Amino acid sequence: MNYWLIFLTGLTTGGLACAAVQGSLLAALLANRDGQPHPDQTESGRSPDLLPVVMFLVSKLVAYTILGALLGYFGSVFQLSLAARIGFQVVAAVLLLGLAANLVQLHPVFGYFVLQPPRWVGRLIKNQTKSRHVFAPAVLGLFTVFLPCVVTQAMEILAISSGSPVSGALIMASFTLGTAPLFVVIGWVTTRLSAAFRRRFTYASALAVVFVALVSLNGALVLSGSRYSWAGWVWAFKATFVPQTLAASPPAQQATITASGGGYSPRQITVKVGEPVTLNLVTQGNYSCSSVFTIPSLGITQSLPVTGTAQVTFTPTETGPLAFACGMGMFTGTINVVP
Amino acid sequence: MKSQPQTINLKIDGMHCVACALAIDLELEDLPGVKLATTSYAKCQTQVEFDPGRVSATDLQATIAKTGYRATVLQSSSA
C-alpha cells in the first residue's frame, strides 16, 4: 500500500470539490461569528484569521483517521476467507468505476453509486455554521466526515478493502493530509474557479479512481489464482521473450521471505517439486496488506504478526510458476517449482 | 381562506456534488411556506411540499437558481 500515492491523490485531485464545499461552510461560519454578511469584507489591514482554519483542518484529520480505522476494522471482519476477499475486491472495483463515471458525468445513472448523506447531516452542519462557540471551527471540521465528496468516498472504499484498522486509518489520514494544502490555498477564501480548470481537475480525480479500481480488480484476479492478472502477463512475457531473466537459482526447500510495506523480498524463489517446502516469513512493524501471506492456487492464507516470524509449509505437486501474494493481491511473487 | 398544500416535483440541472443536494433542501426549507423539501442527487430531482398561498413554484425555482442550479417543473399536484 503506497501511502504517498494516496497523499498525492489528495494533494492534486481529491481536494478541489471538497475544498469548494467545505471552504464555503467554514467561510459562512467565520462570517456569522464576526457578524459580517460576507466573508471577504474584512476590515482593511486586518490579516486573515488562520487559527479557525487550522482548528478545522486538525479536527478534520483526527475525525477521518478514526473513520479510516473503523472502516478498516469493518473490512477485516468481512475478509476472513480468500473467497470473501475476492468478492470484496470485485465489488470495490465496480463501486469505484461507478464513482469515476459519476465524476466525469458519463451518465445520470452513475449518481446512484454516490452515497447521499441523510437530511439530518445537512441540518447539523448548517446549524454548526451559526454557532459562535470558540471551538465551532473544530466541531465543523469533525462534522465534515458526514459530508464526503465522491473522491473521499472512493478512498473510504479503499480503506474498507485494506482489511486492517491501521491500514484504513493511514489511508484516510494520508488522503486528508493531501487535501489540506489545497484547502488552505483556495478553500476558505471563496473563489470562483473557471469551469475549464475545475473540469480538468475532475478528470484527473476520475483517472485516479479508475486506477484504484483496476488495482482492486487485478487483486481479485491474483487472489483467485488466475493466470490473467498483471503479474501473470508479465511472467508470460518474460518467459516467452527474455527467459534468461527467469533463470532459476539452485532450488532450496527452505527460504526466508521478508514482508514489509513495500511488498515481499525476495520475490522469486526456487524449490523442487514433490518435496516439502518451509517458508519463513519475517516482519518488522508491518501494518500493510503484505502481513497476510497467500498462495492462492494452494488455498493458503497466513496472517503474519506485526513483528516476528511465521512459517508456511506445503509440498508442491506440479512444476512451473506458483504465485504468492498479499491479502489484497497487490504485492506478488513467484515460487519456481522445478523437477 | 386557507390554501391547500401542494406537492411539486422539480428537475434540477447542474448538481455536481451530494452536498449540493443537501444545500438545496436547506435553502428551500428556509422559505416561509415550505413544509418539506427532499432532493435526490441520483435522480436529479427535488420534491417540495409547500403552501401555495405563501410561496409559489416560481419562488422555489428562484431560490434554487440563487443556490446555483436550474430547476424545471416536472409535475405538480394538490395534496
Side-chain angles (χ1 to χ4, degrees), chain A residues 41 80 93 126 150 170 194 284 302 322 326 331:
Chain A
Q41 278 178 13
L80 301 175
K126 183 156 191 197
V150 175
L170 282 169
S194 76
Q284 191 172 34
Q302 176 70 44
L322 186 64
C326 77
F331 297 121

Side-chain angles (χ1 to χ4, degrees), chain B residues 8-13 46 61 64 70-75:
Chain B
I8 192 169
N9 280 330
L10 299 162
K11 179 168 171 295
I12 314 280
D13 290 313
T46 190
Q61 287 176 288
I64 295 175
R70 210 182 53 212
T72 41
V73 180
L74 272 180
Q75 56 155 135

Side-chain angles (χ1 to χ4, degrees), chain A residues 17 21 102 105 108-112 114-119 121-123 126 130 147-150 153 198, chain B residues 14-23 25-27 29-30 35-44 68:
Chain A
V21 171
N102 171 262
Q105 296 175 318
V109 73
F110 294 111
Y112 285 100
V114 186
L115 193 72
Q116 184 175 340
R119 302 161 48 76
V121 168
R123 197 46 71 195
K126 183 156 191 197
K130 299 207 179 95
L147 206 64
C149 58
V150 175
Q153 292 187 26
R198 194 165 52 212
Chain B
M15 266 200 295
H16 59 269
C17 61
V18 279
C20 312
L22 290 178
D25 279 350
L26 296 172
E27 288 296 324
E29 287 177 0
D30 273 350
K35 230 180 103 179
L36 186 69
T38 314
T39 309
S40 165
Y41 171 76
K43 290 194 228 160
C44 301

Side-chain angles (χ1 to χ4, degrees), chain B residues 31-79:
Chain B
L31 289 177
V34 172
K35 230 180 103 179
L36 186 69
T38 314
T39 309
S40 165
Y41 171 76
K43 290 194 228 160
C44 301
Q45 274 181 37
T46 190
Q47 191 178 70
V48 190
E49 215 180 290
F50 65 104
D51 177 1
R54 294 176 72 188
V55 67
S56 70
T58 327
D59 294 331
L60 299 175
Q61 287 176 288
T63 305
I64 295 175
K66 217 173 57 177
T67 318
Y69 314 101
R70 210 182 53 212
T72 41
V73 180
L74 272 180
Q75 56 155 135
S76 65
S77 58
S78 300

Side-chain angles (χ1 to χ4, degrees), chain A residues 137-164:
Chain A
V139 178
L140 189 68
L142 202 83
F143 286 166
T144 59
V145 168
F146 297 114
L147 206 64
C149 58
V150 175
V151 184
T152 311
Q153 292 187 26
M155 291 297 127
E156 288 174 0
I157 292 173
L158 192 65
I160 298 175
S161 221
S162 75
S164 111

Side-chain angles (χ1 to χ4, degrees), chain A:
Chain A
M1 181 67 58
N2 197 336
Y3 298 112
W4 278 111
L5 204 64
I6 294 169
F7 174 83
L8 270 165
T9 307
L11 188 71
T12 57
T13 71
L16 202 67
C18 302
V21 171
Q22 292 171 10
S24 59
L25 287 173
L26 187 60
L29 171 72
L30 296 178
N32 287 334
R33 210 163 61 152
D34 297 337
Q36 289 156 359
H38 294 289
D40 48 359
Q41 278 178 13
T42 51
E43 293 164 19
S44 56
R46 186 175 150 200
S47 57
D49 204 355
L50 217 50
L51 182 63
V53 180
V54 171
M55 260 203 277
F56 177 88
L57 291 173
V58 169
S59 89
K60 184 176 152 190
L61 180 66
V62 169
Y64 269 112
T65 306
I66 296 173
L67 177 73
L70 288 171
L71 292 172
Y73 176 72
F74 173 75
S76 72
V77 165
F78 282 85
Q79 284 183 7
L80 301 175
S81 73
L82 214 55
R85 286 174 186 275
I86 293 169
F88 225 85
Q89 305 229 167
V90 172
V91 169
V94 170
L95 289 176
L96 288 166
L97 287 174
L99 288 180
N102 171 262
L103 276 172
V104 297
Q105 296 175 318
L106 205 62
H107 191 276
V109 73
F110 294 111
Y112 285 100
F113 282 85
V114 186
L115 193 72
Q116 184 175 340
R119 302 161 48 76
W120 60 264
V121 168
R123 197 46 71 195
L124 187 77
I125 291 183
K126 183 156 191 197
N127 288 341
Q128 188 56 37
T129 62
K130 299 207 179 95
S131 162
R132 293 184 171 227
H133 195 277
V134 67
F135 284 120
V139 178
L140 189 68
L142 202 83
F143 286 166
T144 59
V145 168
F146 297 114
L147 206 64
C149 58
V150 175
V151 184
T152 311
Q153 292 187 26
M155 291 297 127
E156 288 174 0
I157 292 173
L158 192 65
I160 298 175
S161 221
S162 75
S164 111
V166 176
S167 212
L170 282 169
I171 288 171
M172 293 315 294
S174 322
F175 179 73
T176 309
L177 271 172
T179 64
L182 204 67
F183 184 91
V184 172
V185 165
I186 63 175
W188 71 289
V189 177
T190 350
T191 325
R192 313 208 69 184
L193 294 150
S194 76
F197 185 70
R198 194 165 52 212
R199 199 164 35 235
R200 233 172 282 149
F201 260 73
T202 309
Y203 276 109
S205 310
L207 252 129
V209 174
V210 167
F211 178 72
V212 176
L214 292 176
V215 169
S216 189
L217 207 60
N218 182 61
L221 283 173
V222 168
L223 291 176
S224 56
S226 164
R227 273 178 305 164
Y228 301 104
S229 66
W230 175 252
W233 286 103
V234 170
W235 179 271
F237 178 85
K238 283 188 184 169
T240 314
F241 296 107
V242 283
Q244 60 271 24
T245 61
L246 298 177
S249 45
Q253 299 312 101
Q254 263 234 17
T256 301
I257 301 178
T258 310
S260 71
Y264 298 109
S265 174
R267 289 181 61 187
Q268 260 203 62
I269 61 170
T270 312
V271 302
K272 270 208 282 219
V273 69
E275 287 176 30
V277 177
T278 306
L279 296 175
N280 293 311
L281 301 160
V282 180
T283 50
Q284 191 172 34
N286 187 342
Y287 292 104
S288 77
C289 62
S290 67
S291 66
V292 177
F293 179 85
T294 72
I295 305 179
S297 41
L298 297 180
I300 292 175
T301 309
Q302 176 70 44
S303 281
L304 310 176
V306 170
T307 301
T309 317
Q311 277 190 352
V312 169
T313 47
F314 62 96
T315 305
T317 52
E318 286 175 22
T319 57
L322 186 64
F324 61 87
C326 77
M328 282 179 78
M330 269 179 29
F331 297 121
T332 57
T334 316
I335 302 168
N336 268 323
V337 185
V338 296

